[in-house]
Amino acid sequence: MAPSDCFPVPNPGECFWQAEPHELNDFRSTEQLPEHADIVIIGAGYAGASTAYHLLRDHGEKVKSITILEARGACSGATGRNGGHLRPDFYGHIPTYVDRAGVRAGAEIAEFEISHLHAMKKVIEEENIDCDFTLARSIDVWCNEEAANKAKAVYERMKSLDLEYMNDVAFYTGKNVEGICGVKGALACASFTAGTMWPYKFILHILKSSLATGKVNLQTFTPATAITPGTEGGFTIETPRGKIHAGTVIHANNAYVAGLLPEYEKNIVPCKGICCRITVPEGTTAPLLNNSYINRTEDNTLSYLIPRPDGSIIVGGASSKFRPFQDQWYNNVDDSVLIDSAKDYYEGYMQRTYRGWEDSGARVDKIWTGVMGYSYDSNPHIGAVPGKDDQFILAGFNGHGMPVIWRSAQELARMVIEKVSFEETGMPQLFKTTQFRIDRALNGQESDGDILGTGNFPSTKP
Ligand SMILES: Cc1cc2nc3c(=O)[nH]c(=O)nc-3n(C[C@H](O)[C@H](O)[C@H](O)COP(=O)(O)OP(=O)(O)OC[C@H]3O[C@@H](n4cnc5c(N)ncnc54)[C@H](O)[C@@H]3O)c2cc1C
């Protein structure tokens, strides 16, 4: 797919989280596009909405006008179609970052992500946001012997690095594992603190509170199609509904960033994932699960799973089932269709996975796909777009934006308004977008990157 095609499709498939569209779904603050906004944000997902929120909450007196351009309905992208798992990375990718850039560079990512749990709990409580937030444990499960042994070795290695945050992790092997996690055939499991939520409700709430300031103009169903330097400074942003002039542009369109910034074409690639909601027959009660999970089967098929307060289950993943069929998921923006090779995987999932669910009658109630922005080196790109003054980016959040975006948006807002450098923010160094990272992916092989290949590229040591 060429960058010129890297735009959201107009007809996303139905999805449980958005079954009742919010009043802002198709909202336009004004009938016509404003002629000018000091700041134009492209994308009204988690990244765009959180950036607007922080610009106003933390710097309100310095912000005069923000326009948010959203190609489809508000929060209709990955954020409105995801797994609802607010699960920091403690030891998943962190060891790779430690190998590539040193212990501190890896650990600061884990610490930053963990800090989201309390930061988000705080804003949800302060703003009284109805989004089914829970704070509990996330349980990692391994049913394959070799994978379980490797996981144990990683755990031991991370503990040996003397990282304070690892004290929250409990790792179990031996005969009690199945009884601890409830997953049939589990050989090892681990748990740590994590959250679950209804992301669509969270984002629509903060969008609404930003609009209430009177400084934000939201324009849904208005894709930005091109950005050119304005004749008297700033930028002209084209849309099918006319042009808008902006002093500053913030690219918060994640998987689709290459549509407007083609230099990111190899760095942030749109990749599809699949997710579903499982329910038990009406009138019956589902066995209680009160933790979230990452389950790996005997054949190493990974699924993320959260229980919901209504007894239903949100579960997705199964990438090993569709990975060989690249045309079904890689460099693909079509969230109007399911992924053929994985669409049946979750039928009977709860019965075959969990103790006590055998006779539950659990069935897939809704199933959908979403488009993620996979990053060549697994890290998001955040900060000033190299070589493009007054343009900023926060994108490339993989299947993992929930514990990353909130505080990144807060720090990016400081860069935009207070003109602080990336290094002066609290963001992990590896998140910084740089010409080096852009070139490394542009000039490298797909097979050397993290998305399709080995991750065998030059490291990002500062
Ligand atoms: C199936 C699935 C399950 C997932 N599960 C989890 C999970 O459990 N936990 C987790 O941490 N992460 C998960 N993720 C990843 C997470 O959802 C993303 O990392 C996060 O939502 C990204 O937020 P965003 O705002 O950057 O992107 P998006 O939510 O995609 O927002 C980008 C917005 O930009 C708009 N846009 C694009 N191009 C333009 C344009 N040219 N003009 C105007 N608007 C434009 C899009 O329409 C979209 O609304 C999952 C993702 C998927 C797809």
Side-chain angles (χ1 to χ4, degrees):
M1 186 182 56
S4 54
D5 295 325
C6 195
F7 290 89
V9 299
N11 54 337
E14 271 179 33
C15 154
F16 162 71
W17 303 115
Q18 298 176 55
E20 285 176 32
H22 189 273
E23 64 196 92
L24 295 181
N25 171 56
D26 55 358
F27 187 76
R28 289 175 178 168
S29 303
T30 51
E31 212 173 294
Q32 307 291 329
L33 279 189
E35 277 178 22
H36 168 86
D38 289 354
I39 300 172
V40 166
I41 297 175
I42 296 165
Y46 186 5
S50 310
T51 304
Y53 179 87
H54 284 110
L55 282 166
L56 292 160
R57 190 192 70 179
D58 301 348
H59 313 276
E61 69 295 348
K62 294 186 186 150
V63 175
K64 286 215 263 332
S65 58
I66 299 174
T67 291
I68 305 177
L69 299 177
E70 167 51 55
R72 310 195 298 203
C75 197
S76 61
T79 313
R81 312 175 67 79
N82 75 15
H85 210 172
L86 178 63
R87 178 183 184 273
D89 186 353
F90 279 62
Y91 48 69
H93 281 79
I94 304 298
T96 306
Y97 306 145
V98 168
D99 290 342
R100 286 180 187 163
V103 176
R104 197 65 325 260
E108 68 177 10
I109 293 181
E111 289 158 6
F112 185 74
E113 294 194 10
I114 291 165
S115 75
H116 276 70
L117 296 175
H118 292 155
M120 293 185 72
K121 177 172 174 285
K122 189 161 179 268
V123 69
I124 288 166
E125 286 174 355
E126 277 173 5
E127 294 237 6
N128 207 5
I129 304 179
D130 168 20
C131 63
D132 292 348
F133 178 75
T134 71
L135 189 62
R137 305 285 287 178
S138 175
I139 307 194
D140 256 322
V141 180
W142 293 269
C143 294
N144 173 286
E145 195 171 346
E146 197 187 333
N149 290 339
K150 271 195 194 152
K152 173 85 174 147
V154 168
Y155 170 68
E156 296 298 347
R157 178 185 173 207
M158 293 304 285
K159 256 187 20 179
S160 75
L161 297 177
D162 245 356
L163 301 169
E164 173 66 26
Y165 77 78
M166 282 298 291
N167 289 326
D168 188 38
V169 182
F171 198 100
Y172 307 95
T173 51
K175 63 179 175 26
N176 287 339
V177 170
E178 215 184 279
I180 291 168
C181 66
V183 173
K184 295 185 256 188
L187 299 175
C189 72
S191 83
F192 52 82
T193 311
T196 68
M197 61 195 287
W198 189 319
Y200 179 71
K201 284 193 177 178
F202 175 79
I203 294 305
L204 269 300
H205 185 111
I206 62 163
L207 259 183
K208 194 172 170 183
S209 76
S210 297
L211 287 174
T213 64
K215 292 184 178 184
V216 178
N217 187 306
L218 172 64
Q219 295 288 330
T220 59
F221 295 94
T222 308
T225 50
I227 301 177
T228 46
T231 41
E232 286 164 31
F235 306 95
T236 301
I237 301 165
E238 285 175 41
T239 82
R241 298 179 49 232
K243 296 175 182 180
I244 174 170
H245 179 267
T248 297
V249 179
I250 300 176
H251 298 261
N253 49 344
N254 201 34
Y256 313 92
V257 90
L260 298 170
L261 294 173
E263 63 268 42
Y264 284 91
E265 178 192 10
K266 302 283 184 206
N267 278 272
I268 299 176
V269 179
C271 293
K272 281 174 66 172
I274 196 158
C275 194
C276 70
R277 177 179 189 241
I278 294 179
T279 53
V280 295
E282 236 182 283
T284 65
T285 305
L288 177 70
L289 289 185
N290 51 12
N291 293 295
S292 58
Y293 283 84
I294 298 282
N295 291 327
R296 297 162 192 80
T297 57
E298 223 274 310
D299 73 353
N300 276 321
T301 302
L302 182 151
S303 299
Y304 48 82
L305 180 151
I306 69 163
R308 295 209 1 87
D310 63 4
S312 69
I313 300 291
I314 304 290
V315 56
S319 65
S320 62
K321 300 291 172 210
F322 58 78
R323 210 176 152 75
F325 310 100
Q326 259 187 46
D327 57 318
Q328 294 181 23
W329 66 277
Y330 178 75
N331 207 10
N332 187 324
V333 289
D334 190 359
D335 55 5
S336 73
V337 292
L338 296 178
I339 302 177
D340 201 48
S341 45
K343 68 179 183 349
D344 301 322
Y345 180 75
Y346 289 104
E347 214 44 86
Y349 181 81
M350 296 307 287
Q351 289 87 331
R352 59 180 191 267
T353 305
Y354 284 93
R355 282 184 174 183
W357 280 73
E358 292 82 357
D359 302 321
S360 63
R363 301 282 323 258
V364 172
D365 165 56
K366 290 258 169 358
I367 182 160
W368 61 90
T369 53
V371 180
M372 293 164 276
Y374 273 25
S375 155
Y376 188 79
D377 61 10
S378 301
N379 293 128
H381 282 261
I382 308 178
V385 177
K388 294 196 169 155
D389 286 350
D390 298 322
Q391 294 198 47
F392 295 85
I393 179 172
L394 74 162
F397 293 104
N398 303 289
H400 194 63
M402 297 307 295
V404 179
I405 295 175
W406 183 250
R407 289 208 48 226
S408 297
Q410 179 173 25
E411 296 297 289
L412 186 78
R414 288 183 58 215
M415 290 185 72
V416 173
I417 301 298
E418 291 175 9
K419 313 281 181 220
V420 298
S421 66
F422 185 95
E423 287 70 20
E424 291 170 276
T425 71
M427 282 187 278
Q429 283 306 302
L430 293 180
F431 288 6
K432 181 180 177 180
T433 191
T434 62
Q435 194 62 49
F436 171 78
R437 290 176 69 198
I438 292 175
D439 291 342
R440 184 176 55 189
L442 274 180
N443 302 328
Q445 301 292 321
E446 275 179 338
S447 55
D448 284 340
D450 284 345
I451 308 173
L452 287 183
T454 56
N456 183 27
F457 48 74
S459 72
T460 318
K461 282 207 200 301

